[in-house]
Amino acid sequence: PYTEALDPVLTLTPAYTPQEQVYAGMIADVKAARDMIKLDQAGATGDAIYGGDMEMWVKFANSYLMVLSMQLSKAQSSAIDAQGVFTEALGHSGGVLETLADEAWYQFDVDNGFNNPWNWMRSADYGVTQEMVSSMKGAGDNMVTTNTMYDDRLQYIMNDTSQVGLPYGFLDYGSPQAD
């Protein structure tokens, strides 16, 4: 006969980090990162958001702190002074994002036919695989699936659904060399 005492799943008690601790940690991390920025030094090369403009990253951090504090504005917290976090970030000498042009936008192209903003950087990691395309087309011709029905969602991840997708382990879309 079934008994709860023999079921280890039912005896587990999930341990979640309280929201107050999560937000306190996020606020501390963002402040620490912001305060490590040296405005008199060159920013990171390869910065796809602000092109190494560290003043913009300080503004971003301050604005993000304001967003975090607004998310806590209705919460009762003994560890976090949401209004104090907001006021400190707003009054920080580095400023905040004030215009649409200041916002953190990532520009990407879809020349390769896949609507994934990260795929041009590491296509072998972020491209759509042959297995997935075959499965969504309902080809039923691979070891992954026996699906024979077309899935309309394929059009949301590929501009040209006649493509076959990427094989695993290739460096890029046209590369015949395995990684």
Side-chain angles (χ1 to χ4, degrees), residues 4-6 13-14 19 26 41-42 46 49 59 67-68 77 91-96 112 115 135 151-152 167 178:
E4 288 183 11
L6 298 177
T13 304
Q19 181 181 17
M26 291 171 64
Q41 296 178 5
I49 305 294
K59 288 181 178 187
V67 169
L68 290 172
S77 173
H92 189 273
S93 63
V96 296
N112 56 26
N115 293 325
S135 295
D151 188 331
D152 290 333

Side-chain angles (χ1 to χ4, degrees), residues 39-60:
L39 296 177
D40 59 342
Q41 296 178 5
T45 58
D47 177 358
I49 305 294
Y50 289 125
D53 185 343
M54 300 313 290
E55 289 180 12
M56 292 305 299
W57 281 110
V58 170
K59 288 181 178 187
F60 178 85

Side-chain angles (χ1 to χ4, degrees), residues 6-127:
L6 298 177
D7 191 340
V9 175
L10 295 177
T11 59
L12 294 177
T13 304
Y16 298 103
T17 304
Q19 181 181 17
E20 184 177 55
Q21 285 181 327
V22 171
Y23 273 85
M26 291 171 64
I27 289 168
D29 288 347
V30 173
K31 283 183 177 182
R34 176 199 63 195
D35 296 343
M36 285 191 292
I37 294 174
K38 306 285 189 230
L39 296 177
D40 59 342
Q41 296 178 5
T45 58
D47 177 358
I49 305 294
Y50 289 125
D53 185 343
M54 300 313 290
E55 289 180 12
M56 292 305 299
W57 281 110
V58 170
K59 288 181 178 187
F60 178 85
N62 287 327
S63 298
Y64 186 49
L65 286 167
M66 292 169 59
V67 169
L68 290 172
S69 66
M70 285 189 289
Q71 291 173 348
L72 292 170
S73 63
K74 302 260 189 231
Q76 299 295 323
S77 173
S78 59
I80 304 169
D81 175 16
Q83 184 175 355
V85 171
F86 186 94
T87 303
E88 186 273 333
L90 181 62
H92 189 273
S93 63
V96 296
L97 303 177
E98 296 180 14
T99 68
L100 185 62
D102 288 349
E103 290 185 11
W105 290 96
Y106 177 78
Q107 299 297 322
F108 63 95
D109 65 32
V110 292
D111 290 341
N112 56 26
F114 296 106
N115 293 325
N116 182 329
W118 305 108
N119 68 347
W120 69 271
M121 295 169 59
R122 295 176 53 164
S123 58
D125 292 335
Y126 298 104

